[in-house]
Amino acid sequence: MSLNVEHASVRTLPSEKPLRLLDNAGHAVTGSATGGFGLPDTQTLLELYRKMVVARRFDVQVTALTKQGRLATYPSAYGQEACEIGAVAALTAEDWLFPTYRDSIALLTRGIEPADILQSFRGDWHNGYDQHAHRTAAQATPLATQALHAVGLSHAARLRHDPIVALTFLGDGATSEGDAHEAFNFAAVWQTPTVFVVQNNQFAISVPLERQTRAATLADKAVGYGMPGYHVDGNDIAAMYAVTSAAVERARSGGGPTLIEGVTYRIEAHTNSDDPTRYRAARDVEHWKRRDPIERLEKFLVSEGVLTESMRTEITDAAEALAARTRDVMTIEAELDPLELFDHVYGRERAALLEQRASLEAEIAAGAFASHEGAAR
Amino acid sequence: MAGALNAALRDAMAADDRVIVYGEDVGPLGGVFRVTDGLQAEFGEDRIWDSPLAESGIIGTAVGMAMYGMRPVVEMQFDAFSYPAFEQMVSHVAKMRNRTKGRVTLPMVVRIPCAGAIGGVEHHSDSSEAYWASTPGLTVVMPSNPADAYSMLREAIESDDPVVFMEPKSRYWSKAPLALPVTTAPMDRAEVVREGTDVTLIGYGPTVRTALEAAEAAAAEGLSIEVVDLRSLSPFDDETVSASVRKTSRAAVIHEAAQFGGYGAEVAARVTERNFHHLAAPVLRIAGFDIPFPSPKLEEYHLPTADRVLAALDTWEWDA
Ligand SMILES: Cc1ncc(C[n+]2csc(CCOP(=O)(O)OP(=O)(O)O)c2C)c(N)n1
């Protein structure tokens, strides 16, 4: 291989207790629990707070729109804001993100428009944003498959001497898939600039973590592949941001991949078609609601005198404005062109597809779909 | 139909303690389509359990279980999520009997919810039947109604060969009055589900309903359509299909999957090979377009409809 990779095995064991910089009461943590990471400066924390508040409002709005039938499906990230945003905020605009269906608020944080994020969930097209413009891959549905793409892309960047890092999100359940293991191993062997963020939200649809792994933590898995693993309080955005930033910097400077486990909880159902009362107790949900990532940071910022009333109002207004914009775009039926179905299958024209396109065009012209809403527009 | 499948699993588990069920979310949740609802409470976690989330792992371990004399019935949550298990299915499940000269058989059932028309997002509406059907060593069946669903699943579980049991998602909520246990035709047989004299329409799974709708509409115009529900994709029931085609002298096959290289090509070739001199017209295929399955708002344009069937039949020269 052209890259001179030093062979150094990694033996650091992740901490048994999740690393945290802010406790649930919003107090700064000191001592070994911080794993040597320092609290980000207050301006950074304030910015992270703003992003979380806006993202939460967006998530709540989209869940409501889904209940009104405006979206075919929506996997909520309510409660996972610290994991999603803390990790994504550690990236530069040049870095790449490889998200899953769960990570819409991470896309929002990357600056992608609500209408573009939601195109797939609303059922219009499978992916609604320009992946290269946002350096954000399409949200992956088949589990763990995107992790290999992140490894490949970041390796390619490295071969070209571009200082680019790829970060990919995985769920706790997804770590059981073969592709997750292959991605971890490729990244470690090739020493790619990849950051794996496992959002351990405790459940894979209905299946709890203990049915997924016997490892003490998911971060432990890193050790076997020869990369550092961090076990982090995923509801502490200060810790998620600090640990991910360090991993991103190490990756950028040729230090190879890192696996970060954020321990968090999915407050909402898996998707709108899930019934969580079948597999978890309401009191567990309540328990986790009391560990809300936004409230925790808010308490800290208020006690530090950083978050003023007027700032809070301004942030809430911005969140409301985004929610209103999301509602507006989602109430307008997008104009879909059924003939476009044939346009993006191959780069080169195919006679058979042109024929099929013409046959559909004739059907539409003949009014075959006229009784259907949205047809022939 | 989901209820019929649930009853079939329950009755099979009660009748034979070698029958075990596992997969993603099949335990307390009862599966995302509730096909395994209540079974864990009834049979316990040694008979039915949630596996780790890994399709290759599910199929590969089922191979080992079956080698040891169990009769695993495993679930792939959606058609497109069976692809990580392709290696195990094609290289091992399908070939075990053959490579061991019959010394190792795999009595296992792989249940796969399949096809579209449920408004599912990406990867939730694939039609993967041609991949499985073109793999020697696999038996591939697809019921279209609750009675068949019950009877065929019982038979699949009793089979000593591995069976890919495909369940059309859009039919899960279909209802029929049933006195269980019900035994319908053997699962390797096709069935004539509507008699007719002018055309044989061949469907399976979700498109049997489409074929019946087309037949109904055609009857109003004086055209008599016979509808054959294949039920089994591999093996193919040449006898039933040929008998029907010889009676009507015209045949068409309908499926949701893309037409090119699809299962319909096999049907058309077999029907032609066996009945060429009895055919008054070429065998037609009415299928999905040759495109990846569309997103929910566009799927209606892709899925074959009764109107498309009738329009296709109009392309034949009827006077000849
Ligand atoms: C390969 C594959 N198998 C099955 C599924 C169906 N499925 C969708 S989400 C999900 C649970 C995933 O859980 P986890 O990885 O913990 O992520 P979370 O949804 O909790 O964010 C399953 C089984 C899938 N999308 N892909």
Side-chain angles (χ1 to χ4, degrees), chain B residues 52-135:
Chain B
L53 218 174
E55 292 75 13
S56 179
I58 292 168
I59 301 294
T61 54
V63 168
M65 301 249 185
M67 286 172 69
Y68 203 69
M70 301 290 223
R71 304 184 87 86
V73 183
V74 295
E75 179 178 300
M76 300 280 100
Q77 202 157 73
F78 282 86
D79 28 46
F81 305 143
S82 63
Y83 302 146
F86 210 74
E87 160 77 3
Q88 288 291 341
M89 289 293 291
V90 171
S91 299
H92 298 287
V93 176
K95 292 179 179 152
M96 193 63 85
R97 178 186 286 273
N98 181 256
R99 58 206 272 255
T100 62
K101 292 200 171 172
R103 286 185 295 266
V104 180
T105 58
L106 298 177
M108 57 188 271
V109 177
V110 181
R111 292 184 35 244
I112 308 182
C114 67
I118 57 158
V121 289
E122 220 181 356
H123 310 288
H124 289 76
S125 300
D126 274 29
S127 291
S128 57
E129 67 267 21
Y131 306 141
W132 312 126
S134 77
T135 304

Side-chain angles (χ1 to χ4, degrees), chain A residues 201-222:
Chain A
N201 66 4
Q202 318 287 336
F203 283 92
I205 308 187
S206 70
V207 182
L209 185 68
E210 65 266 22
R211 294 249 149 217
Q212 215 62 251
T213 183
R214 265 293 201 177
T217 76
L218 292 172
D220 280 21
K221 294 192 183 253

Side-chain angles (χ1 to χ4, degrees), chain B residues 23 31 70 74 81 100 110 119 127 153 160 171 175 181 221 225 235 247 256 262 280 314 318:
Chain B
M70 301 290 223
V74 295
F81 305 143
T100 62
V110 181
S127 291
L153 184 53
D160 286 330
R171 307 299 290 146
K175 292 204 174 8
E221 291 169 22
I225 293 184
K247 179 167 106 185
E256 287 191 15
D314 273 344
W318 282 93

Side-chain angles (χ1 to χ4, degrees), chain A residues 80 100-102 141-143 145 170-175 177 199 201 203-205 266 270, chain B residues 24-25 53 55 77-78 80-81 84 124:
Chain A
Q80 298 182 216
T100 78
Y101 53 84
R102 176 82 56 213
T141 302
L143 297 164
T145 49
L170 295 157
D172 41 293
T175 63
E177 289 282 1
Q199 296 193 68
N201 66 4
F203 283 92
I205 308 187
R266 159 165 61 72
H270 171 71
Chain B
E24 296 156 10
D25 303 288
L53 218 174
E55 292 75 13
Q77 202 157 73
F78 282 86
F81 305 143
H124 289 76

